[in-house]
Structures are given as C-alpha cells and as structure tokens.
Amino acid sequence: MATAQEPPDVTWPDGLVDVVSAHLSCEVATIARDGTPIAWPMVPLYLPERDEFLLTTSIGFPAKIAHLERDARVSLLFSDPTGSGSGAPPVVLVQGSATVEPEVQTATGDLLAHWARVHAVQPMSRLFSSTPPTRWFMDFYYMRRLIRVRPETVTWWPDRDTAHAPRRRQLAPVAPAAAPVPAPTHATVGDAEWTDLVRNLARFPDAVLNAYDDDGRPVGLRASPRVDHAARVLHWPGPAGVDVAAGPASVLWHSHDETMWSLRSFAARGAIAPGDDGLVFTPGGVLPGLGLSGPLGDGKVFLDARRRAGRYLSRRGLPRPRIPWDRLRVPT
C-alpha cells in the first residue's frame, strides 16, 4: 500500500484514538470462506490499556466468527461519524489480526464494558430486554463471542477524501497474509437482483468497498460509486495511495441515526477490477441486511437469528445460557 509514510512508531498518531473512540460504529471486514472480504457495521470498543479493539457478535449471527477462526485478517473502517459529535473527522482505516475467544459469554469481564457502551450509544437497544416476552425472544442477542483485534497499521485521510493520498503508520509487526488474493469470481446478478440492488443503493449517499490491498489484507474505502445500468457494474473512484488488488470484493451500504437507531443496511458481493477511470465492481449476489424490508422483514431476520443460535448451541452440546439481566443494568 503506497502512502505517505510516518516514521516507524508504536504510538497512535495524535488525535486518532479520540476519533475512533467517538464513532458509534465502524465497518468491519472479514474474509469469507470463498475469499471475499465482507463487511458489516459493528460497535467497536477501543481498550487503550491493551491497545486492542473489542468487538462482539451474537451466536445468532455467527458468520464473522467462522470467518475469523479460518483467517485472522481484519479491517475496521471508521468512516461514518453520525452521532459521534465529531463533525467531519478524518476517515480512519485500521488493519490488523483478530483473535476469537472460544466461550459463549453474556455478562463477564470486558463484555460488561461492551454492554455499557452499547446502552450509551444505542439506548433503544434496551427494548430488547424491557419485557419478559422480548427477553425471551431476544436472549440470543446477549449470547456473545468476543473478538479482539490487534491493530497493525493505521491509515487515515485527514480531509476525508480518498482521492488524496492518506497518511499511514505501522503500529505493530504485520502478520503475513494467510493466503494469496483469490482469483475473482465471474458470477453476475440476474434481473431481479440487479433491480433490487439499484433500488436500495439509491437510498444511500455513498457506500463502502471492501477488497484486498496489494499486501493481501482487507481494506475498506468509502466513496460514491457510479451505476452503469447497461453493463450492470458500479464504477468506483480510484483511491490515491491505496493499491486495490483485482479479486473478490463486496460493497456495503448502511446508515443509522444519531442514536444508532433507524438501522438500514445491505451488501453485494462480487469482484473488483481496474477500469478506465478507477475501479469496476461487478456484483455477483446481494446480501440482505436490516431496515429495507419493513417490520416483517426485520422480524424474520431476528427470528432466523434466534433459530441459528439454537442450532449453534445444539451442535456443540451447550446448554442455553441464562442471561443475568441484573448484571446488564437494563430496565426490568
């Protein structure tokens, strides 16, 4: 990744810890089984005493767990400052390696700090535990696997414009790539998927491209792609100072309000390649998210997640954890 280099230093650049700590969410890219970097928004918690990020995911949404247990490469992009009170802070990309703790946890150790953070930035999430019926239905949400991310490099765009060369600092030794960048896929979307994709992307001002850099690590870049209806591709501005490798890639569209509610998201997976005026993303499939299919659609997402959590526990011979609601300090 060719960038304006900072001197080798294990300390964070001035002000960037405050930037990432203020963000309500970040786009976390992990490597899927087929080699595609796929990102979804998550609530990050930076632990300065360990210089690591704590992420957690419910066992009802276990894909990120499986990804990271196969391949520890991960990137965290801090590009949407909505609700942070930071105005227009630098866009920050953290690349590193992740470790997934093996136990299913509910309210222990650092997870309590995570719940405190979630309840602070997303107060409406307390609805999940506000009544006996919601506690029963949403208990899977509180069954978590902990993900610890060791930052290796931090790249940032002070003016938020990826057309300008970023700054970069190495914070720790970089783990070698687990595998070379896979060959791009050649799948394309059908008429219905293309129609859905175009309809949904029109609801968002920009999106996050997730691909590999020239070092074989996942990289996230936010920009506004141009839709080419005839070719059924998205034209992506070529970022300055970041070499994006041709290969499998995905695009994430997501948004939330100042209290991290009114969540909307969806993604597309496919392939990225050089184009005449930047990069060309060819979608090969659409990944549904939240907030675009109405209450019934979102209800199905959570019902499916509850069922997946049950299967996750059953396959491992684990009892269903009892949630210590009093320790979570949520309303009764």
Side-chain angles (χ1 to χ4, degrees), residues 24-168:
L24 276 57
S25 68
C26 65
E27 297 89 23
V28 179
T30 57
I31 308 298
R33 182 185 295 274
D34 67 355
T36 303
I38 295 178
W40 292 105
M42 300 181 72
V43 176
L45 180 63
Y46 178 66
L47 303 176
E49 68 278 7
R50 300 181 186 176
D51 188 26
E52 70 180 21
F53 288 91
L54 176 69
L55 306 170
T56 80
T57 189
S58 164
I59 60 172
F61 301 98
K64 288 183 288 293
I65 300 169
H67 295 176
L68 291 170
E69 287 180 334
R70 286 192 301 265
D71 191 324
R73 291 175 290 178
V74 63
S75 70
L76 285 65
L77 181 68
F78 297 83
S79 65
D80 180 1
T82 302
S84 69
S86 302
V91 171
V92 180
L93 171 69
V94 176
Q95 294 168 292
S97 299
T99 301
V100 183
E101 295 191 359
E103 302 85 5
V104 176
Q105 302 182 45
T106 57
T108 56
D110 288 336
L111 188 52
L112 286 173
H114 164 80
W115 290 129
R117 173 67 173 165
V118 169
H119 294 154
V121 304
Q122 192 185 52
M124 290 292 286
S125 66
R126 295 169 181 260
L127 292 174
F128 298 158
S129 57
S130 60
T131 67
T134 56
R135 288 183 174 188
W136 174 83
F137 183 72
M138 294 297 296
D139 67 341
F140 71 89
Y141 174 79
Y142 297 92
M143 303 172 192
R144 296 275 166 157
R145 295 282 300 275
L146 272 59
I147 301 166
R148 299 186 184 275
V149 176
R150 182 191 70 148
E152 295 169 352
T153 59
V154 57
T155 304
W156 70 102
W157 289 262
D159 62 359
R160 301 185 59 81
D161 189 348
T162 57
H164 299 158
R167 307 289 296 183
R168 185 178 186 228

